[in-house]
Amino acid sequence: MLSKFVRTDNDIATAVLRLVLGVIFFAHGAQKMLGWFGGYGFTGTMGFFTGIMHIPAILAFLAIAAEFFGGLGLIFGFLTRIAAFGILANMIVAIAMVHGQFGFFMNWTGAQKGEGYEYHLLVLAAAVLLIIRGAGAASVDRLLSSPAKQSAQLQTA
């Protein structure tokens, strides 16, 4: 069963996309989880999500975890499909609950009250690609799904 989640090729382009998306989401997750990079940390973020945005606590926790642990998973290429799915779900909720009301475009000029969802669509596309293709080169998933590993499993079976 695990082999379906870690199966991947040795594609460098996929690895570059995975790493960039991982770094971006680790940074966002570290703001929310640890208070790094000017964030409010876990308690502050949970308070904002549940108190101001009225997001149920379990969903707020899952959003923080998806960004932080999903970002780490993507950086290392470990359980990439699961990490990408968590980020995909997070972005769908962000569009539906927050950014959809502000239209397509980001607020580059400060002329609107909030940020649009164009960034989120890019993230959705990247996450879908990673769910379909896997982690690519230089990943834990690649090590777990390597031909040598698979042939060793067949010999012991």
Side-chain angles (χ1 to χ4, degrees):
M1 176 76 166
L2 181 63
S3 65
K4 291 180 181 180
F5 287 112
V6 298
R7 187 178 313 131
T8 189
D9 57 20
N10 203 27
D11 188 60
I12 292 176
T14 303
V16 169
L17 178 69
R18 172 182 53 81
L19 284 167
V20 170
L21 192 63
V23 167
I24 289 168
F25 272 88
F26 173 75
H28 281 281
Q31 286 179 314
K32 294 172 178 73
M33 182 76 78
L34 305 173
W36 293 1
F37 312 114
Y40 296 108
F42 185 78
T43 304
T45 303
M46 283 294 289
F48 175 74
F49 281 175
T50 58
I52 305 297
M53 296 186 73
H54 306 293
I55 296 172
I58 187 66
L59 297 178
F61 172 78
L62 288 173
I64 295 168
E67 290 188 16
F68 184 74
F69 294 112
L72 280 175
L74 293 181
I75 289 169
F76 291 105
F78 181 61
L79 299 176
T80 299
R81 287 181 170 91
I82 295 169
F85 179 78
I87 289 169
L88 178 131
N90 198 344
M91 292 297 98
I92 289 172
V93 171
I95 291 170
M97 294 195 66
V98 179
H99 300 282
Q101 66 183 318
F102 299 113
F104 178 75
F105 293 103
M106 297 294 289
N107 191 14
W108 298 106
T109 62
Q112 62 194 41
K113 291 182 180 181
E115 300 291 344
Y117 56 88
E118 65 180 315
Y119 161 79
H120 304 82
L121 288 178
L122 284 171
V123 171
L124 287 173
V128 167
L129 185 134
L130 293 173
I131 290 168
I132 293 168
R133 302 270 317 253
S139 66
V140 174
D141 288 353
R142 177 73 179 144
L143 291 174
L144 294 174
S145 69
S146 70
K149 174 93 174 154
Q150 291 171 359
S151 66
Q153 288 173 345
L154 290 174
Q155 291 173 357
T156 60

